[in-house]
Amino acid sequence: MEIRALLDRMTHEGHQQEAAEFLAEHAITSFDEIVTLMCGDDQVVRPACRVFSLLHADDEVYAALLRHPHERVRVHAASMFRGDMALPYARELLPLLEDEDYYVRREALHAFGSMGDDVLPLLHETRATAKGALRRAALSALVEVAGPDAMSAADRKMIERYVLFKIEEEMYGTEEMHLCGGWFAIRTEDQNAVLEVCGLKDPTPVTKILGGEAWNNDHHAWGGAADHVQCARVYVTGSWDGWTLVFGEPFAHAERPVTEICAVLSAVFGEAHYYGMSCGDGWTAWCIAESGEVVRNYDCFDHDNQSGEPLDVEEGMGLPGDWSDDKDDDLDDIWATDVAEEMSVNPRYFEGDIEGHGVLALTQCGRTYGSPKGFLRI
């Protein structure tokens, strides 16, 4: 493909200049030469991959490169297919779902996830007629596109059996849980009582990995409240040293403050905590309630609504949201996980004396609007 034509049709001046400078520097006259540079192992690979995407060659060009022998080219070619323009190339993208390279598979999965429900007939057909890895990959794509509601009854039963097997296998696993968002810790061993008080229905057994993946998937969803992704389902653990943890938003759209929720839960169960951590901006929070009363509430981003005396675990520690001149910079900051480890249980390392297993349960929003989409590890 002639490079000059690709440059001339670029509308973003900054991107056009960036691409033109790279092409001139390396005396590139054809798109194939960019692809060749992408297959190297020197410092020019990264800018070559960027220009490969910036130029927006014809869809047929990228579709042909989905079969390129180098995985880096396949990855970037697959990344060019999103939304409505990807749907006509769904069959070309299918083999990439079982590619030997993880990143190729991931980009293909993202491509299918962006296509919408119109691609579901192809995936159901593949699930019914293909064999081996492609048949399994089609199930992953189905869930990525439309969530577990898109699975057939037979596939649902198969997944349920596999999850129960993995629950037994992971009983003594120590995989670290990625914490980003808020969770409740309730002093009870009665999971069913937690489900009832929180108004949660249709509990489905899950492994610790699957439960954590669902929580992180939903919390990081791009959609707003209108999409009902963050408020559709909740991960409720088994009993862990006398505590049951609830990850997510059990009450619609988190309209009630956590202080009120903790107070209500503690009136029922005697003690209830809320903890919050962020993987991106340094946010941390904790709320401790006993017998219907909040005894401590701290949020490093909300100074106006803090209450109660510092907990014993806070003594000798710095508060992350304290920017006053009086703060002792020699003190280590305390985080929600530190408080949780002392006051209840720290889910970062979900291990120890655990009774039963976790479940994913639907809120009223989940029962009304369906389960969130997205492929999750088991």
Side-chain angles (χ1 to χ4, degrees):
M1 176 170 288
E2 206 275 316
I3 286 293
R4 186 70 257 172
L6 293 177
L7 281 173
D8 288 343
R9 72 186 189 185
M10 293 180 71
T11 58
H12 191 290
E13 292 184 6
H15 291 168
Q16 185 183 51
Q17 181 178 353
E18 179 183 349
E21 290 176 353
F22 176 83
L23 297 170
E25 178 183 356
H26 298 280
I28 293 174
T29 59
S30 72
F31 196 77
D32 289 342
E33 293 175 56
I34 300 176
V35 174
T36 300
L37 289 178
M38 292 171 63
C39 300
D41 57 3
D42 52 22
Q43 294 181 346
V44 78
V45 168
R46 179 173 293 182
C49 291
R50 176 166 169 77
V51 171
F52 173 91
S53 302
L54 289 179
L55 286 173
H56 285 285
D58 294 337
D59 295 342
E60 290 77 9
V61 173
Y62 292 120
L65 292 172
L66 295 174
R67 302 184 297 274
H68 195 276
H70 200 291
E71 66 276 3
R72 190 179 296 129
V73 176
R74 298 197 302 277
V75 166
H76 285 82
S79 73
M80 300 303 296
F81 291 94
R82 294 293 186 269
D84 292 340
M85 62 79 61
L87 187 60
Y89 298 93
R91 287 193 181 275
E92 286 85 346
L93 285 160
L94 266 176
L96 273 64
L97 289 170
E98 59 168 341
D99 196 275
E100 61 185 15
D101 183 81
Y102 164 78
Y103 296 101
V104 175
R105 298 195 303 272
R106 184 181 67 178
E107 287 299 331
L109 198 62
H110 289 171
F112 276 95
S114 72
M115 293 180 196
D117 291 351
D118 287 344
V119 78
L120 290 177
L122 171 63
L123 293 174
H124 281 297
E125 173 194 327
T126 305
R127 181 67 183 153
T129 60
K131 297 181 179 180
L134 183 56
R135 183 171 183 271
R136 294 190 295 271
L139 180 58
S140 301
L142 276 169
V143 178
E144 181 73 12
V145 172
D149 298 338
M151 291 193 300
S152 68
D155 281 340
R156 195 181 301 275
K157 289 182 180 179
M158 180 270 294
I159 293 295
E160 289 174 355
R161 290 195 299 268
Y162 183 63
V163 166
L164 292 175
F165 167 76
K166 294 296 288 185
I167 286 174
E168 294 293 328
E169 187 179 79
E170 72 161 13
M171 185 173 296
Y172 301 103
T174 58
E175 180 165 332
E176 182 175 343
M177 183 176 185
H178 179 73
L179 300 179
C180 186
W183 70 94
F184 295 91
I186 304 171
R187 186 181 281 279
T188 182
E189 298 180 350
D190 192 341
Q191 185 187 73
N192 288 330
V194 172
L195 294 173
E196 182 177 355
V197 170
C198 293
L200 302 170
K201 304 291 185 181
D202 304 324
T204 301
V206 293
T207 63
K208 291 180 286 187
I209 291 175
L210 177 53
E213 288 253 319
W215 176 54
N216 276 286
N217 174 82
D218 301 350
H219 175 69
H220 290 97
W222 285 102
D227 290 338
H228 301 281
V229 174
Q230 297 181 344
C231 58
R233 64 186 174 191
V234 172
Y235 170 39
V236 182
T237 71
S239 172
W240 185 10
D241 290 340
W243 294 84
T244 299
L245 308 188
V246 178
F247 293 87
E249 297 181 3
F251 306 100
H253 305 290
E255 294 173 350
R256 302 164 68 184
V258 295
T259 50
E260 181 181 334
I261 295 173
C262 282
V264 171
L265 291 175
S266 71
V268 177
F269 296 102
E271 191 171 354
H273 305 171
Y274 173 82
Y275 301 102
M277 292 283 287
S278 172
C279 63
D281 58 12
W283 172 68
T284 192
W286 50 90
C287 178
I288 310 297
E290 300 173 356
S291 303
E293 299 290 336
V294 173
V295 299
R296 175 61 166 154
N297 182 52
Y298 176 79
D299 187 319
C300 73
F301 286 177
D302 190 2
H303 293 273
D304 294 336
N305 291 316
Q306 296 175 20
S307 63
E309 295 298 319
L311 304 167
D312 290 345
V313 68
E314 296 177 40
E315 293 188 10
M317 305 290 288
L319 293 172
D322 183 1
W323 300 102
S324 67
D325 295 336
D326 297 332
K327 181 177 181 180
D328 187 345
D329 293 333
D330 293 331
L331 298 178
D332 292 330
D333 282 341
I334 188 171
W335 302 91
T337 46
D338 300 315
V339 180
E341 187 161 348
E342 181 68 23
M343 302 290 293
S344 55
V345 286
N346 178 3
R348 186 176 298 282
Y349 299 101
F350 194 176
E351 57 184 331
D353 186 14
I354 301 170
E355 298 293 333
H357 56 74
V359 297
L360 281 180
L362 298 180
T363 65
Q364 182 59 57
C365 289
R367 298 192 294 276
T368 302
Y369 301 103
S371 298
K373 66 179 183 178
F375 169 73
L376 306 172
R377 292 186 303 149
I378 295 176

